[in-house]
Amino acid sequence: MKPDAKFMVATGALCALLFLVGGSPAAAQDQPPPPPTQGSAPVAPDPSQDQGIAAVPNRPTITTTGETVQRGVFEIEYGFELADGHQNMNGLLKFGIFKNLELRLANNPFERDGGVTGLSDSGVGFKWRAITQNGNVPTISLLYTASLPTATQDLGTGGVGHSIQLLVSKDFGKHHFDMNEGPQFVARPQGGFDRNYFTSLSYSHPITGKLGWTGEIAGFSKTNRETPASMVLLGALTYNVTPRLVLDAGAFVTVYGNQPRLVGLFGFTYAISDLYHFHAAPKPGSH
């Protein structure tokens, strides 16, 4: 069995086990929809601080949570990756245009691979939350991203690509799981597309107070002759400075694939403001 086939089978087995556990009465009880989550555990909005706004990080994992940014909230994520022959600064801008619809713009303003330095391709898209967690039912969302050829030199694909992911998120008490699965259509310089499949499973849990831990297994199937299958294992710590600001730091190890063996990472997620209430009417009696 090829490495990418083994990875897909193993991750599929983990996903099946997770849903079997989630369906048992002993593992999950009826509960209200979860609050926005961060990398280590759910983060409940605090009405007495930051006007009830809470960050919804996708960092530091490759896996994307099924939860969406709160309606009207503009949120940013920025981080750095550091490895031998590879460094980048990666960014993601998110806006909750509706309750269950998030608009997204991703770009690496700095990328260095194999001695080539410049910009990366950009990604624009949306996340739509179709089902919100309730009892044994997980949060289920759809993520679409279009890759735009904005990279300099040889750091991009040279064409428009597409990615569609099914996102599933579920809480079991303080244990939080996120799973992603879906195809990616990578543009060829001469026209047309190569295709691969992305599969990931992440787990997070609070350690103490504002400190949390997250781990992940993720990978792509073979794209073409130059891009074989890949798989990484990630571990990281997260720290909630406030409900709106979450810091993270960790590393991932490449099990197989054309990537650096060990990559360190650190960054932050910050919910800047609720733009829909930016010009809120003054309270009665105020001047």
Side-chain angles (χ1 to χ4, degrees):
M1 185 179 290
K2 295 181 179 180
D4 52 312
K6 291 180 180 179
F7 174 74
M8 301 291 281
V9 171
T11 307
L14 287 172
C15 295
L17 177 61
L18 176 60
F19 278 107
L20 287 174
V21 173
S24 65
Q29 300 178 357
D30 289 339
Q31 53 184 319
T37 60
Q38 55 102 351
S40 61
V43 181
D46 183 356
S48 65
Q49 184 179 11
D50 298 328
Q51 296 77 49
I53 298 175
V56 186
N58 293 269
R59 294 188 53 83
T61 60
I62 306 171
T63 307
T64 301
T65 181
E67 303 300 335
T68 55
V69 171
Q70 293 168 271
R71 179 181 178 272
V73 171
F74 177 59
E75 185 170 298
I76 64 172
E77 299 185 12
Y78 274 93
F80 295 87
E81 292 183 359
L82 304 171
D84 184 20
H86 166 79
Q87 298 86 39
N88 75 28
M89 177 182 182
N90 49 82
L92 176 64
L93 310 181
K94 303 174 289 182
F95 177 62
I97 187 170
F98 299 122
K99 178 181 178 182
N100 294 312
L101 183 61
E102 170 186 308
L103 303 182
R104 301 161 62 89
L105 171 63
N107 181 257
N108 293 4
F110 170 79
E111 182 89 28
R112 181 178 181 273
D113 281 304
V116 179
T117 303
L119 300 175
S120 72
D121 286 343
S122 299
V124 295
F126 65 87
K127 182 198 297 183
W128 172 57
R129 182 171 56 190
I131 299 174
T132 301
Q133 177 175 307
N134 187 11
N136 292 338
V137 179
T139 294
I140 300 177
S141 298
L142 181 69
L143 174 65
Y144 168 76
T145 305
S147 177
L148 306 180
T150 59
T152 56
Q153 302 187 53
D154 298 321
L155 295 175
T157 61
V160 177
H162 305 275
S163 174
I164 302 173
Q165 302 291 330
L166 179 67
L167 317 178
V168 180
S169 298
K170 187 73 170 74
D171 293 311
F172 301 96
K174 293 184 178 181
H175 304 274
H176 180 78
F177 291 87
D178 291 305
M179 294 179 291
N180 294 175
E181 177 68 47
Q184 178 175 258
F185 300 91
V186 182
R188 299 172 183 160
Q190 67 275 20
F193 299 94
D194 289 319
R195 182 179 63 194
N196 62 40
Y197 291 91
F198 175 68
T199 303
S200 67
L201 173 64
S202 68
Y203 165 77
S204 55
H205 191 277
I207 296 176
T208 178
K210 298 182 178 183
L211 186 66
W213 175 85
T214 185
E216 175 186 54
I217 177 172
F220 291 90
S221 64
K222 179 179 178 180
T223 304
N224 50 40
R225 186 177 302 175
E226 292 75 29
T227 310
S230 63
M231 184 175 77
V232 301
L233 298 176
L234 178 148
L237 295 175
T238 58
Y239 184 78
N240 295 353
V241 180
T242 70
R244 293 171 68 167
L245 176 61
V246 182
L247 308 180
D248 63 75
F252 66 81
V253 176
T254 299
V255 179
Y256 55 80
N258 291 344
Q259 300 179 119
R261 183 59 58 185
L262 178 63
V263 179
L265 55 91
F266 63 94
F268 69 92
T269 303
Y270 181 55
I272 296 177
S273 177
D274 181 351
L275 300 184
Y276 288 170
H277 294 86
F278 188 76
H279 298 290
K283 296 180 180 180
S286 63
H287 299 282

